[in-house]
Amino acid sequence: MDRATFDEMRTALRGPVTGPGDEDYDRARAVYNAMIDKRPGAIVRCRDAQDVAAAVGFAREHDVEIAVRGGGHSGPGLGLVDGGMTIDLSPMDSVHADPDAAVVRAGGGVQLGDLDRATHAVGAATPAGIVSTTGIGGLALGGGHGYLTRRYGLTVDSLLGADVVLADGTQVTAGPADHPDLYWALRGGGGNFGVVTSFTFRMHPVHTVGVALTLWPVERTAEVLDWYRGFMPRAPQEMYGFFAVLAVPPAPPFPQEIHGKKMCGVVWCHTGDDADGGARDLLDAAEGAGRPVFAFAAPMPYPALQGMFDELLPPGLQWYWRGDFFDTLRDAALEVEQKYAEAIPTGLSTMHLYPVDAAAHCVPRGETAWSYRDAVWSGVYAGIDPDPLNAGVIKRWCVDFWNEMHPYSMGGAYVNFVGADEGTDRVRATYRDHYDRLARVKRTYDPDNVFHVNQNIEPS
């Protein structure tokens, strides 16, 4: 983007426009993953849908590439584009929860913590992720899974409608009755079809939940996973637990004697009516894997659980991740998990297996763009470290881990866990036979592929 175009943009758009010559440019282009170092020609902080429409129109008129940033958590850094325009939705962070209608309306720049605080105030919640600084936009458009998935489904299963700025600047509302094909595609198809400026979600009764953390020595990873793979799919829907391998962080509630030690564990959430009793039930269940070396259980407000990892994983760390779906965990896969758990390269690097069964399996496969209704787990391998000098180390561990686990997977992954360097075949594998329908919707709503800085689905 040349200077004349940038100056014209700054004059034409209402929201603040930041460019390479501005004092706050480096702060404005920073995203959650410090491994991303892209330099947009302009960052436009949009205040409302009209701002977004004007920004899209200007970019098209001047043949400028567009990226869209909500919460900035995209691992591959897809909220930025070198030399082009980043449409930054962070000022659009209003949330309104309506307890009578049991719905919540959230702006495109809302983070999960904003959403959780608003819904918690009326004794409810919407299924989302596990880190409260995640943007609702990218999470929801990719499908969205977290602590409430086994009880209430994916985030997109609670999406009732969305306000969207299309590639030609038109503003539409997509829902079951209006633009139903677009509504279908938004529920899992990523940011391919327009800029979502607000979401309307169904709320569910959630207030205080039972929480438990259970840890075992890393040497027992395969053994604990063997128990976990049998227990979790048969557990009641109100029980949720994601499996993790980790180095124990030097912070409460963990005792000093296990700080820094490599372990495997389960992070639990119980959404039954009795949170205190639910927490105890989680600990009792975990005893099935043998007595943990560390166990913690307590009732907790749901937003507190959602924010539990925020301080451990602040913005500005080096990240590299990959993912896969699994419908079963074979014995050979457990051996791979054991190998790489013992080889965790840095204190923050981890592997998680998130359950995506129970209520998520109750939605017909063709109802949304999310194509893996038969998956039982969504896995992610994440190399994480504060030091840029370790970027190569954490990436190699992650890629090697993924390479050895992938043959035991279903072939595709949660789109938000797909890296920018994995190629178009991985995008196709993510959507399976839904890909062709998504490409047709793309042809209708974005025939010129204006929105291509994403896990791209080309117009058919």
Side-chain angles (χ1 to χ4, degrees), residues 6-133:
F6 177 82
D7 290 341
E8 184 181 349
M9 179 185 299
R10 180 169 269 171
T11 302
L13 301 178
R14 291 194 311 120
V17 180
T18 303
D22 295 322
E23 184 178 348
D24 62 342
Y25 177 70
D26 284 337
R27 182 190 60 79
R29 71 185 181 93
V31 289
Y32 187 73
N33 182 2
M35 198 179 286
I36 306 302
D37 186 25
K38 296 182 181 179
R39 303 184 66 85
I43 300 163
V44 183
R45 297 182 183 89
C46 295
R47 296 171 177 167
D48 52 30
Q50 288 70 33
D51 257 7
V52 173
V56 170
F58 188 93
R60 295 207 65 176
E61 180 183 348
H62 293 270
D63 196 24
V64 172
E65 280 192 293
I66 296 173
V68 182
R69 182 172 70 189
H73 266 240
S74 168
L78 298 175
L80 300 175
V81 57
D82 282 321
M85 173 196 289
T86 282
I87 295 178
D88 183 356
L89 304 180
S90 58
M92 301 172 63
D93 60 355
S94 65
V95 186
H96 176 69
D98 182 346
D100 295 328
V103 300
V104 58
R105 185 180 176 91
V110 164
Q111 295 184 343
L112 303 192
D114 305 320
L115 181 74
D116 293 333
R117 283 186 288 273
T119 56
H120 186 72
V122 297
T126 291
I130 66 164
V131 176
S132 73
T133 56

Side-chain angles (χ1 to χ4, degrees), residues 326-389:
F326 299 88
D327 55 0
T328 187
L329 296 172
R330 303 179 194 173
D331 290 347
L334 269 55
E335 294 176 8
V336 176
E337 294 278 1
Q338 181 71 59
K339 172 182 174 180
Y340 283 93
E342 294 182 13
I344 293 173
T346 61
L348 293 174
S349 295
T350 188
M351 184 285 301
H352 291 174
L353 283 170
Y354 302 106
V356 287
D357 60 339
H361 281 187
C362 295
V363 177
R365 183 171 177 270
E367 190 166 309
T368 68
W370 174 283
S371 66
Y372 279 86
R373 293 290 175 179
D374 48 344
V376 179
W377 290 282
S378 173
V380 63
Y381 320 96
I384 313 168
D385 196 69
D387 189 347
L389 294 178

Side-chain angles (χ1 to χ4, degrees), residues 193 434-444 457-460:
F193 308 98
H434 286 178
Y435 186 91
D436 290 341
R437 180 178 174 185
L438 286 164
R440 292 193 297 271
V441 178
K442 179 78 167 178
R443 182 182 63 199
T444 300
I457 297 165
E458 294 188 4
S460 63

Side-chain angles (χ1 to χ4, degrees), residues 140-144 154-159 183 186-188 368 370 373:
L141 294 174
L154 305 171
T155 305
V156 290
D157 298 336
S158 292
L159 180 61
Y183 174 60
L186 293 174
R187 290 181 291 162
T368 68
W370 174 283
R373 293 290 175 179

